[in-house]
Amino acid sequence: MRRGDRLRVRYELRLSGGETARGKAEGIGREQTVEIAPGIASARLERRTMGRLVGIERRGSARARRASATIDYPWRELVSDLPQLLNLLFGNVSMQRGIRVAGIEWPEELVARFPGPRHGVAGLRDRLGVHGRPLVATVLKPIGLSPRELARHAAECALAGIDLIKDDHSLADQPAAPFRERVLAVSEQVRHAHRVTGRRTLYFPHLGGPVDRLAERLDDLREAGAEAAFVAPMVLGLDTMRALADTSGLVLLAHPSFAGAYLADAHGIAPELLLGDLFRLAGADVVNFPLAGGRFAFSRASFDAVRERLAAPLGRLPATLPMVAGGIDEAKIARWLPRLGADVVYLVGGELYRGGRVRERAARLVERVATGALRP
Amino acid sequence: MRRGDRLRVRYELRLSGGETARGKAEGIGREQTVEIAPGIASARLERRTMGRLVGIERRGSARARRASATIDYPWRELVSDLPQLLNLLFGNVSMQRGIRVAGIEWPEELVARFPGPRHGVAGLRDRLGVHGRPLVATVLKPIGLSPRELARHAAECALAGIDLIKDDHSLADQPAAPFRERVLAVSEQVRHAHRVTGRRTLYFPHLGGPVDRLAERLDDLREAGAEAAFVAPMVLGLDTMRALADTSGLVLLAHPSFAGAYLADAHGIAPELLLGDLFRLAGADVVNFPLAGGRFAFSRASFDAVRERLAAPLGRLPATLPMVAGGIDEAKIARWLPRLGADVVYLVGGELYRGGRVRERAARLVERVATGALRP
C-alpha cells in the first residue's frame, strides 16, 4: 500500500506502426490528464496535474514490440469520485489500441474514499453462521418461469442447506416474473426454510435497473426482508453499485456481465483489477466470475489473480468473497476443493436442475462440501 | 424497422479450437436467454424465451474461420429496461471470445420504450438559431485551471461565436475547479457573450458523478441557467443517461470515454451500434466520437458508419448530431467540410489554445465554416 499523493499505474503496451514505447507511454500520461498537446498549457500546470512516466521497459523480443510503462498520477488533483477514477485509468485511452491497465498501487487515502465491502467475508459468514468451509450457491433460472416456480426452486435449495441463492442476471422485471412479486415469493420461501431447518440462506435478488426505480426496488427488498442483492456493475454502472454500498446496508454481489470486453489480452484492464480491485472498492462483498477452463474465456492465471486480489490487503478494506461459476458440477467442485481452500463460493446453476430431486441432490452436495467428503 | 416481437441481432463470429459456427451461434441464443444446458428447461419454455438462430453463413475462406449468425430474440419476454437490453445483446457472451454484435434490427415498439434524443438535430439548431451549416465546438481544459480561468476561455470562445462549449471529460468536481463554481462561472460568461453578440452558445457541463449527487448537480445547472450537459455513458452508466434524458429536459451530449474496449474488431459491439444506436436510444442529442485518422483507433468505415447511423431512421426518434473530435484543426476541417455536409459538429480543443489570440482565431474559424470559405 502506497502513501501519499501518487496513484501508480502500470500499463502493458503493444506497439504498432511508428509507435515507440516512450512516445506511447508519455502520450498516456498526457491523454488521461491535461489532454492537450505539449507547449500549450503552462509547465507549472503540467507538473501539477499530468501523469508522469516513472518507468519503462521493453518486454519480450524486439520483434514482439511490447513494453511495460509505469505512470504516477497526482490523484488528488484528478480523482473526485469513482467515475473519474475510471476516466483516469482507462477513459480516453480505451479508444486507442494496445494499452492494458496491468497493475495499480493504491494510495491508502484514495482507497479510504470508497466504501469497499460493507460486510466482506467475515460479515457474510457471521450472517450465515458458517465458518471454515466453502459456501455453496445456486441460481434461480431460467427466465420465463413464474415467481411461484422460481420460489419453489428456492425453497428446495434453501431446505437443502444451500448457503446463497441468487437470481439469474437475466431476471430483472420481465412480465413472466416481475421484480416485486419474485422477490416477495422467493424471500418468503427462504424464510420458511430457515424456520424449518434453523439454517440461514441468503437470497440475492437482481437489482437490474432501471436506475430511477432503484429506490422503489429497495423498498420492495425491505418489505421482503431481503438483506442482500446483486448487481452487474458494468451494466448498471459501477458507481451505482458504489452508491448502493454506501447507503443500502445490503450484502452486495457483483456479476461480470458486459465486463468481458475489458478483459482482452492486448487492450483493456487486467481481470484482477476490474473484477478484483475496482469491484471491491465499489463495495462488492462477493464477486462472481468464471471458473478457469469453463465455458468462458478465463485463463487459470486470471482466475487465480482475481481470487488472490479479492483477499489481498487493500487499505483497510475487508476481503471480498470469490464466487466461482460457469457450468460447475460436483465433479468440478471435487477437483477444485483442495486447491481453493475455504474462502470461496461454488455456484452450481443449471446442473442442480437436471433430472429432478433437487432437494436431495443439493443437500448431498452441501454436506459433501461441508465435511470435505468430496474427493477428486 | 421491424414490427413485432422479435429483436434481430447479427453476430460476427471468430471460431477457435473445436468451435463450429452453428454450435457457437446456438450457444449465444441460449447463453443470453435461458442460460441453461439443453434438456433441463421444458421445450415449451425454451420456445417462448430462447434466442432462435435464423441464419448463419461462413465468411471469408474456410481457413479464416469466420461466420455471421443472425439470432431472433423474443424481446417482450426478455427486455424490461435498458440495462436488460445490454445484458441481452452482449452480457454474458462478453466473457467469451470472438463474438461481435454487428447488426441490430429494432422493432418499433422496443425503440418506443426508450426516450431517444429529446431535442435532436432540429431542436438543437432551433435553440441556437443556426441552420444549414456545420457547428463549431470547443472544450474547456486542461484540468488544473480555476473556474475563473476556464470561464475566461469560455468567454473568448462565446464572444467569437463558437456554437457549443463543453467541459473536458476530465473535469468533474476536483479541487481546482469544483463543479458548482465552474458551472456558475462559465454560464455567466456565456450569457454575457449572448448579451454582447446576440448569438447563442450552448454550454455542456460534465455531469461526471457521483450518481447519488446528480440531483444536486442538476440543481446547480438550473441555478446557472444551463440548458445542456454532457455525460460519458460507459463511465456513469448508460441507463443513468437514459434517466437524465427521460426527466431533465437538458440537451445531452454523450462522450465515448471508457467505451473503446467494446470497439475491438474481433469481440465487442460495432461502433455504429454502441456509439450510434444505443447512445441515441438512451437519449444523446449529440454524440462525440473520434475523427477517422486522428489520434484514436477509429477507421474511416467506423467513422462513416457512426455518422450515418445517428441520422438513419430509428423508430420515430429524431436524428442525433455527430460531434467529431480528436486533434482537429482548421486544415482538418477544410478537408472534411465537403464530405460531411452540414449536420456535423467540429470539436476544436487544444488547437484553439495555442499561441493566444483565442477570440480572433475562433471567430475566423466560425466565420469560415459558416460561409464555406474553408477550402482544402
Side-chain angles (χ1 to χ4, degrees):
Chain A
M1 189 60 41
R2 296 173 64 77
R3 294 185 172 282
D5 298 331
R6 296 275 160 176
L7 170 67
R8 179 161 289 182
V9 181
R10 192 171 68 76
Y11 293 93
E12 286 173 1
L13 310 181
R14 300 195 184 195
L15 309 174
S16 58
E19 288 179 337
T20 65
R22 177 164 298 272
K24 187 160 186 159
E26 288 178 345
I28 295 171
R30 180 174 291 278
E31 181 72 48
Q32 298 301 89
T33 57
V34 296
E35 203 206 332
I36 200 163
I40 297 176
S42 76
R44 189 160 160 270
L45 184 141
E46 291 202 346
R47 264 198 308 279
R48 204 175 86 226
T49 59
M50 211 167 77
R52 189 158 54 93
L53 181 64
V54 296
I56 187 160
E57 54 185 87
R58 192 180 285 280
R59 288 289 165 98
S61 68
R63 218 178 134 196
R65 305 207 63 204
R66 296 196 188 178
S68 171
T70 303
I71 295 176
D72 275 2
Y73 290 111
W75 65 270
R76 290 182 203 277
E77 299 284 344
L78 303 169
V79 179
S80 53
D81 42 51
L82 186 58
Q84 291 322 297
L85 178 61
L86 299 183
N87 250 340
L88 176 63
L89 293 172
F90 194 61
N92 257 16
V93 298
S94 80
M95 301 290 294
Q96 299 180 344
R97 283 289 166 261
I99 297 173
R100 184 170 185 262
V101 182
I104 303 177
E105 292 179 39
W106 298 100
E108 200 161 335
E109 282 175 77
L110 177 56
V111 170
R113 294 205 182 179
F114 301 112
R118 289 307 198 159
H119 306 273
V121 178
L124 181 66
R125 286 193 176 284
D126 287 348
R127 201 169 279 247
L128 291 171
V130 173
H131 298 273
R133 67 156 173 90
L135 302 176
V136 181
T138 194
V139 189
L140 301 180
K141 63 182 178 183
I143 185 165
L145 294 183
S146 68
R148 201 170 148 183
E149 291 167 308
L150 294 164
R152 193 183 309 138
H153 190 80
E156 296 287 303
C157 292
L159 288 165
I162 294 274
D163 302 297
L164 310 177
I165 295 177
K166 68 180 272 294
D167 285 344
D168 184 45
H169 73 289
S170 286
L171 296 177
D173 192 35
Q174 292 92 349
F179 181 82
R180 188 181 138 81
E181 281 176 62
R182 178 175 85 246
V183 171
L184 289 171
V186 172
S187 297
E188 192 189 322
Q189 289 304 316
V190 169
R191 261 199 314 277
H192 168 71
H194 174 58
R195 287 193 300 269
V196 172
T197 66
R199 293 171 75 163
R200 292 241 171 237
T201 295
L202 209 52
Y203 167 47
F204 294 78
H206 180 209
L207 285 173
V211 293
D212 40 4
R213 291 186 63 187
L214 285 181
E216 181 188 327
R217 304 266 190 258
L218 293 175
D219 286 343
D220 293 339
L221 293 191
R222 268 186 289 273
E223 187 184 337
E227 301 169 289
F230 102 82
V231 297
M234 304 319 286
V235 173
L236 200 59
L238 189 66
D239 197 47
T240 296
M241 180 167 80
R242 189 276 313 154
L244 286 168
D246 259 335
T247 61
S248 74
L250 295 165
V251 180
L252 290 176
L253 184 158
H255 186 282
S257 179
F258 215 67
Y262 293 99
L263 309 181
D265 288 342
H267 184 72
I269 304 175
E272 65 272 23
L273 300 180
L274 182 60
L275 311 182
D277 286 6
L278 287 167
F279 279 19
R280 185 175 169 201
L281 279 177
D285 297 294
V286 186
V287 170
N288 181 349
F289 59 97
L291 193 67
R295 71 179 192 274
F296 296 101
F298 219 61
S299 70
R300 179 67 199 267
S302 292
F303 174 73
D304 287 339
V306 174
R307 276 196 312 118
E308 284 160 18
R309 197 86 181 191
L310 290 174
L314 180 61
R316 292 154 187 249
L317 300 186
T320 291
L321 197 58
M323 172 185 273
V324 301
I328 291 188
D329 56 17
E330 198 170 294
K332 278 198 182 130
I333 297 178
R335 273 206 305 281
W336 285 96
L337 264 181
R339 297 183 226 171
L340 301 188
D343 279 341
V344 64
V345 188
Y346 294 98
L347 179 66
V348 186
E351 288 309 313
L352 265 191
Y353 291 77
R354 197 185 286 281
R357 297 183 303 121
V358 172
R359 183 169 167 187
E360 182 185 326
R361 288 187 304 122
R364 193 184 64 184
L365 178 64
V366 174
E367 178 65 20
R368 288 184 172 186
V369 168
T371 60
L374 275 182
R375 292 275 171 266
Chain B
M1 187 62 40
R2 293 173 66 77
R3 296 188 170 275
D5 299 332
R6 298 274 161 176
L7 172 67
R8 179 161 288 182
V9 182
R10 191 170 68 76
Y11 293 92
E12 286 173 1
L13 309 180
R14 300 197 184 194
L15 309 173
S16 58
E19 288 179 337
T20 65
R22 178 165 297 271
K24 188 159 186 160
E26 288 178 344
I28 294 171
R30 180 173 290 279
E31 182 73 49
Q32 297 301 86
T33 58
V34 295
E35 204 206 331
I36 202 164
I40 296 176
S42 76
R44 190 160 158 270
L45 184 140
E46 291 201 347
R47 262 196 310 278
R48 204 177 82 226
T49 59
M50 211 166 80
R52 190 159 53 93
L53 182 62
V54 294
I56 187 161
E57 53 185 88
R58 193 180 285 282
R59 287 288 166 100
S61 68
R63 217 176 137 198
R65 306 206 65 204
R66 296 197 189 178
S68 171
T70 303
I71 296 175
D72 274 2
Y73 291 110
W75 66 268
R76 290 181 203 276
E77 299 284 344
L78 303 170
V79 179
S80 52
D81 42 52
L82 185 59
Q84 292 321 297
L85 177 62
L86 299 183
N87 250 338
L88 175 64
L89 292 173
F90 194 61
N92 257 16
V93 298
S94 80
M95 302 291 292
Q96 299 180 345
R97 283 290 166 261
I99 298 173
R100 184 169 185 262
V101 182
I104 303 177
E105 292 178 39
W106 298 101
E108 200 160 334
E109 282 176 76
L110 178 56
V111 170
R113 293 204 181 181
F114 302 112
R118 289 309 197 159
H119 307 272
V121 178
L124 181 66
R125 286 195 177 282
D126 285 348
R127 201 168 281 248
L128 291 171
V130 174
H131 298 271
R133 68 157 172 90
L135 302 176
V136 180
T138 193
V139 189
L140 301 179
K141 62 183 179 182
I143 186 166
L145 293 184
S146 68
R148 203 172 146 180
E149 290 166 310
L150 294 165
R152 194 181 311 139
H153 190 78
E156 296 287 302
C157 292
L159 287 166
I162 294 273
D163 302 296
L164 311 177
I165 295 178
K166 67 181 273 293
D167 283 345
D168 185 44
H169 73 290
S170 286
L171 296 177
D173 192 35
Q174 292 93 350
F179 181 82
R180 188 181 138 80
E181 280 175 62
R182 179 176 82 246
V183 170
L184 289 172
V186 173
S187 298
E188 193 189 321
Q189 289 304 317
V190 169
R191 260 199 314 276
H192 168 72
H194 173 58
R195 286 193 300 268
V196 173
T197 67
R199 294 172 72 162
R200 292 242 171 236
T201 294
L202 208 52
Y203 167 46
F204 294 78
H206 180 209
L207 285 174
V211 293
D212 40 4
R213 291 185 65 188
L214 285 182
E216 182 187 326
R217 304 267 190 256
L218 292 175
D219 287 343
D220 293 340
L221 293 191
R222 268 185 290 271
E223 187 183 337
E227 301 169 287
F230 102 83
V231 298
M234 304 319 286
V235 173
L236 200 60
L238 188 65
D239 197 47
T240 296
M241 180 167 78
R242 190 275 314 154
L244 286 168
D246 260 335
T247 60
S248 74
L250 294 165
V251 180
L252 290 176
L253 184 158
H255 185 281
S257 178
F258 216 66
Y262 293 100
L263 309 182
D265 288 341
H267 184 71
I269 304 176
E272 65 272 24
L273 299 180
L274 181 60
L275 311 182
D277 286 7
L278 287 167
F279 279 19
R280 185 174 169 201
L281 279 177
D285 296 294
V286 187
V287 171
N288 180 348
F289 60 97
L291 194 67
R295 70 181 194 272
F296 297 102
F298 219 60
S299 70
R300 179 69 199 266
S302 293
F303 174 73
D304 286 339
V306 174
R307 275 196 313 118
E308 283 159 19
R309 198 84 181 191
L310 289 174
L314 181 60
R316 292 155 187 248
L317 300 186
T320 291
L321 196 59
M323 172 185 273
V324 301
I328 291 189
D329 56 16
E330 197 170 296
K332 278 197 182 132
I333 297 178
R335 272 206 305 283
W336 285 95
L337 265 181
R339 297 184 228 171
L340 302 188
D343 279 340
V344 64
V345 187
Y346 293 97
L347 179 66
V348 186
E351 289 309 314
L352 265 192
Y353 292 77
R354 197 185 286 281
R357 297 183 302 122
V358 172
R359 184 171 166 186
E360 183 186 325
R361 288 190 303 123
R364 194 185 61 184
L365 178 64
V366 174
E367 178 64 19
R368 288 185 172 187
V369 168
T371 59
L374 275 180
R375 291 274 170 266

